[in-house]
Amino acid sequence: MEYILEANALAKRYRNFSALNGLTMHIPKGSIYGFVGRNGAGKTTLIRLICGLQEPSGGEYKLCGVKNTDKKIISCRKKMGAVVESPAIYTEMTAEENLRQQNYILKATNEGDILELLTLVGLGDAGKKKVKNFSLGMRQRLGIAIALAGNPEFLVLDEPINGLDPQGIIEMRELILKLNRERGITVLISSHILDELSRLATHYGFIDGGRMIKEMSAEELEKRCRKCICVDVSDTRPLADVLDGMRAEYEILDRTRANIYSDIQVTLLVTELLKKDCIVYGMREHDENLESFYMNLVGGEQNG
């Protein structure tokens, strides 16, 4: 698999505090990567490092295959656009003037790109309006337009829906999906609004205490969070025979535990197992979402 960003044992230490503690990370090219963690977990610190705003205290990372210690990393960062914490915009300027200023910084001269970018982010009719009169959602979209000015392959968004109203959240979601699907832009989204993130992400990284707890694809997460009946029995071998006879979908976890994904008649299952001298010790329904999965993951790490 090709990665647009790889981090290996990345650390960032301040005088009396370690923000990152040996973080390892892999963002596949073409993905929407949901970066999940509570406030203070190290999400923004990681983003600041890869944007070149700070230097790591230890470890390394690769951006588009280039190490952070390589001189070529500066040119690689031109392939990345970012909106960190709050959009860097001039409120006394119009949206067009803000983009024209960004083009000047990037030494870009194509004026036609300005209207195209404003239209892309839903500000086609607001280009001549001063930013100080923009709503929060409009400012967020302008920030993304500025981040897209250099035609980046990689877009980094730190809490892009924070503070938006429901309509603004929907518009931001549609924009991110459009950029990913139609332009092939890899997107890293740092967010603590997990329900919304689950509607976007193709991959996840769960961070806590400055280290990566787990990385997984959306398909793997969906499988882990899938609704099922968890069964504890004396022996899963006869359980498998009975479930096969019922044409049920199931997963054997070990010698005494299994997950059943099909709708079954519990009374019939218990009766058939008793015929095979298999005792049922317990059954419980499992129905987990992204939020509860993360909390259980963090809780398990802290208690383990």
Side-chain angles (χ1 to χ4, degrees):
M1 184 179 290
E2 186 178 358
Y3 298 109
I4 203 159
L5 176 69
E6 297 176 78
N8 181 33
L10 204 57
K12 181 60 181 177
R13 292 182 294 274
Y14 300 97
R15 181 173 296 176
N16 298 312
F17 174 68
S18 291
L20 294 179
N21 297 291
L23 181 136
T24 298
M25 188 179 199
H26 306 84
I27 300 182
K29 191 171 184 179
S31 68
I32 298 177
Y33 188 99
F35 198 23
V36 182
R38 67 185 76 191
N39 291 337
K43 303 189 302 296
T44 300
T45 300
L46 181 278
I47 290 172
R48 286 180 169 274
L49 293 185
I50 64 175
C51 289
L53 299 175
Q54 295 178 342
E55 291 295 323
S57 305
E60 65 179 20
Y61 64 87
K62 291 181 182 178
L63 184 62
C64 301
V66 177
K67 286 186 179 182
N68 62 293
T69 52
D70 193 316
K71 292 181 180 179
K72 294 179 182 177
I73 193 68
I74 296 173
S75 60
C76 275
R77 287 202 182 100
K78 293 179 181 179
K79 300 178 182 179
M80 178 172 64
V83 181
V84 183
E85 295 177 325
S86 59
I89 51 181
Y90 300 97
T91 58
E92 291 297 328
M93 291 183 177
T94 66
E96 286 185 8
E97 289 169 342
N98 268 275
L99 279 174
R100 197 168 289 115
Q101 177 68 18
Q102 184 69 2
N103 278 349
Y104 174 76
I105 294 170
L106 296 173
K107 296 181 173 58
T109 57
N110 192 345
E111 285 286 318
D113 288 345
I114 292 177
L115 181 57
E116 182 184 347
L117 277 177
L118 288 174
T119 302
L120 176 66
V121 301
L123 295 176
D125 296 328
K128 299 187 184 302
K129 184 178 180 180
K130 283 195 174 183
V131 175
K132 66 180 180 181
N133 298 317
F134 278 17
S135 67
L136 178 59
M138 292 171 71
R139 293 188 186 205
Q140 290 285 67
R141 293 201 296 275
L142 177 58
I144 291 179
I146 292 171
L148 293 171
N151 268 332
E153 299 176 18
F154 184 32
L155 182 62
V156 179
L157 303 176
D158 188 13
E159 301 287 358
I161 60 174
N162 204 19
L164 297 184
D165 60 25
Q167 182 62 33
I169 290 174
I170 292 171
E171 291 172 355
M172 185 61 65
R173 180 203 314 156
E174 291 175 347
L175 173 59
I176 292 169
L177 288 171
K178 184 176 183 178
L179 294 173
N180 176 255
R181 293 171 180 173
E182 296 182 11
R183 295 203 168 197
I185 297 174
T186 305
V187 186
L188 166 64
I189 305 176
S190 165
S191 180
H192 65 277
I193 305 177
L194 304 187
D195 179 61
E196 184 59 31
L197 199 57
S198 67
R199 302 169 188 264
L200 288 167
T202 62
H203 294 77
Y204 294 93
F206 298 93
I207 183 177
D208 191 57
R211 60 193 180 96
M212 188 68 73
I213 303 172
K214 193 171 187 63
E215 287 187 298
M216 62 199 312
S217 67
E219 290 80 8
E220 291 170 326
L221 179 63
E222 184 178 353
K223 186 176 180 181
R224 288 285 298 272
C225 295
R226 191 177 175 189
K227 186 175 181 179
C228 67
I229 297 174
C230 303
V231 187
D232 294 307
V233 295
S234 56
D235 189 348
T236 50
R237 287 173 295 181
L239 174 64
D241 291 338
V242 172
L243 291 174
D244 285 339
M246 298 172 73
R247 295 184 178 180
E249 184 182 356
Y250 64 91
E251 178 186 13
I252 301 298
L253 303 177
D254 54 37
R255 291 180 60 186
T256 61
R257 297 181 305 127
N259 290 335
I260 303 173
Y261 298 104
S262 301
D263 290 329
I264 59 168
Q265 295 182 21
V266 174
T267 303
L268 177 61
L269 175 64
V270 173
T271 301
E272 293 300 315
L273 288 175
L274 285 174
K275 291 178 183 178
K276 294 179 177 289
D277 296 322
C278 181
I279 301 171
V280 179
Y281 293 114
M283 288 186 182
R284 60 184 176 84
E285 191 173 80
H286 174 83
D287 188 9
E288 197 170 40
N289 58 21
L290 175 57
E291 183 175 352
S292 59
F293 175 81
Y294 171 69
M295 293 309 298
N296 287 332
L297 192 64
V298 172
E301 284 288 321
Q302 290 176 338
N303 297 330

